[in-house]
Amino acid sequence: MVHTPAHSGLSGALTYESDSALAPGTLVRVPLGSRELLGVVWGDAETRTSATGGSASTRATNAHHATAAQPSLLALDDPSHDNVAPAPLQLRAIASVLDGVAPLSAHWRQLVQFAARYYQRSAGEVALASLPSQLRDLSAEQWARRLKRKPKAAVANDAPVQAIPTPTDEQAQVLAEIAAQSGPFLLFGNTGSGKTEVYLRAAQALLERDPQAQILVMVPEINLTPQLEERFRARFAPQWGAGCLVAMHSSLTPAQRLNNWLAAHSGQARIVLGTRMAVFASMPHLQLIVVDEEHDPSYKQQEGARYSARDLAVYRGQLENAKVILGSATPSLESWHHSRPATEAEPAGRYMRLAMPSRVGQGALPLIRRVDMNRQPYKTVFSSHLLEAMRERVTRGEQILVLLNRRGYAPVLHCNDCGWKSECPHCSAYRVFHKLDRTLRCHHCGFTQAVPRACPGCGNLDISPLGRGTEQLEEHLAELLADVRRPDGEPIRIARIDADSTRLKGELERQLAEVHAGAVDVLVGTQMIAKGHDFRRVTLVAALNTDGALFSSDFRAPERLFSLLMQAAGRAGRDATMNLVSPCEMWVQSHHPQHPLFEALKQHDYPAFADQQLSERAQATLPPFSFQALVRAEARSQEAAQDFLNAARDAGAAFADELLVDLYPAVPMTIQRVANIERAQMLIECTSRQALQRFLAHWQADLHGLRSAHRQVIRWAVDVDPLAI
Ligand code: ADP
Ligand code: ZN
Ligand code: ZN
């Protein structure tokens, strides 16, 4: 494994000799220094120029010397590493060709090239990150053995053949549009409107029509929706075999990942179901890309090449002439804007909006009830009405979700006498109190200590938790509902799902299965419980402590809150056949119940919310009405980090002016220090995407040039279209 510093630049392809002609896209092993690395033959004259910035020359000793396809190689090391010299003076020969793998397609290489350029990274880094690690790690002998292994005979599928539902009118209409138009489509479908069924149908139509066609289905976090994979398998395995679908996500073993990658690359797997990394899956016959819950922030990679898998999916669809369906009940404001209908003043956006407003089977959306917390006694956790409603429902055997987006027992521990607080010594943040294992844990750097017996400041024995997390909520609810019985007379069961309760592998799946099976009456959790689950018996959702996002300095905070609450509300009332005594409800406790966000939520009116937010953004020229990038720098001191950024700003100022790009002054990041490293950032903004791209491409050289004068800067990185500012 090669170390990859984040401050990479755009270094290009390396050149090697080969005594036979190699098709572009061929995987090879090449020597670099004393090591041997994986490489991809990058290519023909045209891509070579862009890959190398025109600097490297290529030469091949083969008979096809005169043809355009001379092998210039992309060595999949870390081409950005400072120590790697550009093209070696004396050309070295490639070590070997990786047998048995067809060359990567021109489309795939173009996707990688585009992503690298757009997100200001090197093509080698993007390519390496998107190929399974075993392609690189297996020795020649291991590889030969791997190739000999016969593909497992398709196991007979014992999944019961499920009845395929007849599409609803809305589904049928949407499917007809998808078949007739080229897209990209924004499938704006309510929670429970049957979006997944649309994906299944669209996929099925394609599989039946074209014996080679491949389909890529992306989901935000595969572990959160294990039923989805089941649903796809149950639908397609009976007809196309168990091997027709492979998964691609980070919890696969390296061997599984290689197998699945090869299955997709060879065309054998017809459906790839994966997380954001799957956008780079090599699929020679790709014809349909689905991005489920397209608004989800986890489509944005947060380290290395910070790509948006959703945006790359749209690019890839266009590149490969594949249809793209972005689906959500609460689309990102970007996608909503791109799918705007034509007005007198303006033509329509470039996405086609398809709406499915109704729930399948007349399941009603929950009634939204707002509780004014200003009228509740000080320190109320659950208002008395809410508590009463919860007790009644549990007694009738209905399920309840309680959403609190903060894990741990309490966010801070403090001393009333001297004012001591559980700050992290390494970060500008508090350590969170976890009562179960009696630790103070920093959620930023991981620093963990046992809870002190007495105040470290003054020795006071009475230190107390401030605020509330899911752990405390679970404990509190157990007390509040201790005397309540389920219809079968048993005591009720409360469970908690958050990053702490699901740390062990398989634990999340197990807990979710318990909720599905009805063994859990009240489920407490963070946003993990709001996403995509098809819990059948939930009739009440309660959201606590949501006010923080209303007044956040992050302009995307209201968008995230609204979608979280809509998604959470969507977990209720999914089974229209339940005979309910009273309709499903979602309760929102707030100190600002009249806030327009809650008004829109009450009406389940995403369009109203989106239009209001978009008009605010238009006035402030924020995305999607402008385009942004961030440069972040990390150093031992805040001053050093800011100095570097401000020097970069000076260096780029003239060109930025020319292109009407705004460079803002460097500022500390919200959490300024993490693990004793100071962090600063600088915002770059422009109303033209092209101009911003031109500026960034040019500016890279300035940033690299500044390194030597700013030795204290540990790393820096550019984030294009950042999600958190
Ligand atoms: P979404 O993805 O929009 O939340 P789903 O596709 O999960 O919605 O559908 C919600 C529920 O409705 C699922 O249990 C699904 O099996 C069921 N369903 C979807 N479409 C139909 C249909 N046409 N007829 C009957 N049931 C359907
Ligand atoms: Zn004290
Ligand atoms: Zn810390």
Side-chain angles (χ1 to χ4, degrees):
M1 177 70 200
V2 183
H3 173 63
T4 308
H7 54 263
S8 65
L10 294 172
S11 52
L14 303 175
T15 308
Y16 289 85
E17 287 189 329
S18 160
D19 44 20
S20 60
L22 294 175
T26 304
L27 285 164
V28 292
R29 288 179 206 282
V30 293
L32 187 74
S34 56
R35 292 166 305 161
E36 203 173 279
L37 306 169
L38 182 68
V40 180
V41 177
W42 210 245
D44 57 357
E46 194 189 303
T47 47
R48 185 180 68 232
T49 312
S50 48
T52 60
S55 61
S57 63
T58 52
R59 184 148 56 84
T61 57
N62 61 59
H64 301 275
H65 194 222
T67 67
Q70 297 166 356
S72 133
L73 283 174
L74 197 63
L76 298 186
D77 168 44
D78 161 27
S80 61
H81 199 289
D82 291 347
N83 303 330
V84 175
L89 288 179
Q90 184 130 42
L91 291 188
R92 299 177 73 175
I94 63 159
S96 59
V97 173
L98 216 66
D99 295 322
V101 189
L104 290 152
S105 71
H107 281 149
W108 185 87
R109 282 174 284 130
Q110 198 175 331
L111 174 69
V112 165
Q113 189 79 58
F114 171 82
R117 201 178 314 139
Y118 188 84
Y119 294 104
Q120 308 290 314
R121 308 295 291 198
S122 70
E125 182 191 5
V126 175
L128 179 64
S130 59
L131 292 171
S133 60
Q134 283 202 338
L135 281 181
R136 177 193 46 180
D137 296 340
L138 293 186
S139 68
E141 299 84 74
Q142 286 171 316
W143 181 248
R145 237 179 294 139
R146 170 67 186 74
L147 279 185
K148 277 202 206 104
R149 208 158 70 208
K150 293 209 182 67
K152 277 194 205 112
V155 251
N157 184 64
D158 47 8
V161 179
Q162 289 184 347
I164 298 176
T166 314
T168 62
D169 289 349
E170 283 179 5
Q171 285 170 334
Q173 217 159 47
V174 158
L175 283 161
E177 292 281 8
I178 292 172
Q181 314 282 340
S182 57
F185 304 96
L186 176 67
L187 177 56
F188 170 51
N190 230 321
T191 50
S193 61
K195 292 185 291 298
T196 313
E197 187 57 36
V198 169
Y199 311 149
L200 288 163
R201 284 260 168 191
Q204 183 165 3
L206 199 55
L207 291 180
E208 280 169 1
R209 198 176 61 233
D210 178 338
Q212 286 198 309
Q214 289 180 300
I215 297 145
L216 171 62
V217 180
M218 289 202 283
V219 294
E221 285 158 88
I222 224 155
N223 299 332
L224 281 181
T225 45
Q227 341 76 285
L228 191 72
E229 190 175 337
E230 299 293 302
R231 234 169 122 182
F232 270 81
R233 235 176 246 296
R235 181 68 58 93
F236 297 116
Q239 194 172 347
W240 283 279
C244 75
L245 183 146
V246 295
M248 232 172 249
H249 50 85
S250 56
S251 37
L252 298 177
T253 65
Q256 286 171 327
R257 207 160 145 204
L258 178 63
N259 284 345
N260 294 356
W261 186 86
L262 287 171
H265 179 61
S266 69
Q268 205 185 337
R270 308 290 301 282
I271 303 174
V272 171
L273 182 64
T275 51
R276 61 172 177 263
M277 63 158 70
V279 76
F280 290 109
S282 167
M283 300 175 73
H285 307 291
L286 182 64
Q287 293 206 22
L288 173 66
I289 308 178
V290 172
V291 185
D292 190 25
E293 309 290 1
E294 66 87 33
H295 63 278
D296 198 292
S298 62
Y299 282 119
K300 185 82 158 60
Q301 166 79 15
Q302 291 297 352
E303 58 192 31
R306 293 166 175 254
Y307 62 87
S308 156
R310 176 197 61 216
D311 295 350
L312 285 181
V314 173
Y315 173 82
R316 187 171 183 180
Q318 197 178 24
L319 179 69
E320 308 205 23
N321 204 13
K323 290 191 185 185
V324 177
I325 307 175
L326 310 176
S328 178
T330 52
S332 63
L333 291 177
E334 281 80 3
S335 298
W336 189 251
H337 181 64
H338 288 320
S339 65
R340 66 194 177 277
T343 62
E344 277 170 17
E346 233 193 346
R350 57 202 176 91
Y351 299 175
M352 184 172 185
R353 192 184 292 171
L354 307 171
M356 295 203 302
S358 318
R359 280 193 143 180
V360 174
Q362 312 306 312
L365 283 169
L367 195 72
I368 307 288
R369 308 189 55 160
R370 293 166 291 178
V371 181
D372 185 349
M373 293 308 279
N374 300 304
R375 297 178 171 197
Q376 301 293 320
Y378 183 57
K379 286 201 166 173
T380 296
V381 183
F382 291 93
S383 64
S384 53
H385 283 112
L386 170 56
L387 193 61
E388 198 43 48
M390 290 171 65
R391 296 172 68 101
E392 281 175 17
R393 289 189 187 262
V394 175
T395 311
R396 292 197 296 258
E398 298 168 22
Q399 281 179 317
I400 290 173
L401 295 189
V402 182
L403 176 73
L404 176 63
N405 217 358
R406 183 186 264 166
R407 66 195 169 92
Y409 191 85
V412 191
L413 209 57
H414 91 136
C415 166
N416 248 332
D417 280 3
C418 74
W420 173 86
K421 284 186 173 151
S422 56
E423 270 168 76
C424 175
H426 310 296
C427 306
S428 42
Y430 294 115
R431 278 176 300 164
V432 175
F433 173 39
H434 290 257
K435 192 175 174 188
L436 287 176
D437 56 3
R438 300 219 48 94
T439 56
L440 290 178
R441 227 185 282 161
C442 175
H443 288 183
H444 301 281
C445 73
F447 181 65
T448 303
Q449 277 183 321
V451 172
R453 295 197 169 280
C455 170
C458 69
N460 174 14
L461 287 174
D462 191 22
I463 42 178
S464 51
L466 262 187
R468 190 173 302 103
T470 45
E471 227 182 67
Q472 188 177 162
L473 200 62
E474 181 188 16
E475 181 187 282
H476 188 57
L477 268 174
E479 289 163 14
L480 291 174
L481 303 176
D483 58 330
V484 182
R485 291 288 172 271
R486 307 162 47 130
D488 58 8
E490 293 292 311
I492 64 155
R493 225 175 111 206
I494 301 174
R496 170 170 58 93
I497 291 187
D498 57 28
D500 297 314
S501 77
T502 56
R503 194 155 291 163
L504 295 176
K505 196 170 160 56
E507 196 52 23
L508 176 62
E509 290 82 348
R510 194 188 62 72
Q511 293 182 7
L512 288 173
E514 283 196 337
V515 182
H516 282 288
V520 169
D521 304 292
V522 182
L523 178 63
V524 175
T526 55
Q527 33 93 22
M528 288 171 90
I529 65 172
K531 293 193 180 177
H533 309 290
D534 197 15
F535 297 138
R536 306 304 292 177
R537 300 196 63 79
V538 172
T539 64
L540 188 150
V541 176
L544 313 185
N545 280 19
T546 56
D547 288 351
L550 298 176
F551 307 100
S552 165
S553 60
D554 182 345
F555 70 89
R556 283 195 174 84
E559 177 183 357
R560 279 195 301 267
L561 174 62
F562 189 80
S563 95
L564 175 64
L565 293 177
M566 285 278 279
Q567 296 290 332
R571 295 320 105 210
R574 295 178 75 86
D575 188 351
T577 63
M578 271 173 90
N579 258 328
L580 293 182
V581 179
S582 57
C584 296
E585 294 173 337
M586 169 156 172
W587 292 62
V588 180
Q589 296 193 153
S590 168
H591 287 281
H592 308 275
Q594 308 304 329
H595 194 282
L597 188 148
F598 296 129
E599 293 287 345
L601 181 71
K602 189 175 168 60
Q603 312 296 330
H604 302 282
D605 195 348
Y606 169 83
F609 171 77
D611 293 344
Q612 175 263 329
Q613 284 285 309
L614 281 172
S615 76
E616 276 182 24
R617 294 215 192 155
Q619 276 168 28
T621 332
L622 287 168
F625 305 97
S626 68
F627 301 89
Q628 298 181 325
L630 276 182
V631 208
R632 300 196 179 91
E634 300 185 357
R636 288 288 167 205
S637 77
Q638 181 62 223
E639 197 190 357
Q642 292 197 17
D643 281 353
F644 169 75
L645 293 177
N646 285 326
R649 183 169 177 239
D650 292 343
F655 192 48
D657 262 1
E658 203 178 300
L659 291 170
L660 301 178
V661 168
D662 289 328
L663 300 177
Y664 288 83
V667 292
M669 285 178 62
T670 318
I671 297 182
Q672 174 175 339
R673 188 168 50 103
V674 168
N676 296 317
I677 290 175
E678 289 283 338
R679 316 184 311 161
Q681 68 180 31
M682 186 170 124
L683 179 66
I684 305 137
E685 208 171 57
C686 184
T687 52
S688 151
R689 198 192 282 279
Q690 287 74 17
L692 180 63
Q693 280 287 320
R694 268 188 71 198
F695 172 74
L696 292 174
H698 172 90
W699 197 39
Q700 279 284 344
D702 291 337
L703 284 161
H704 279 282
L706 285 168
R707 288 273 308 160
S708 54
H710 293 261
R711 286 282 171 209
Q712 286 197 56
V713 172
I714 299 164
R715 62 178 79 88
W716 56 269
V718 180
D719 185 351
V720 181
D721 304 330
L723 275 191
I725 292 187

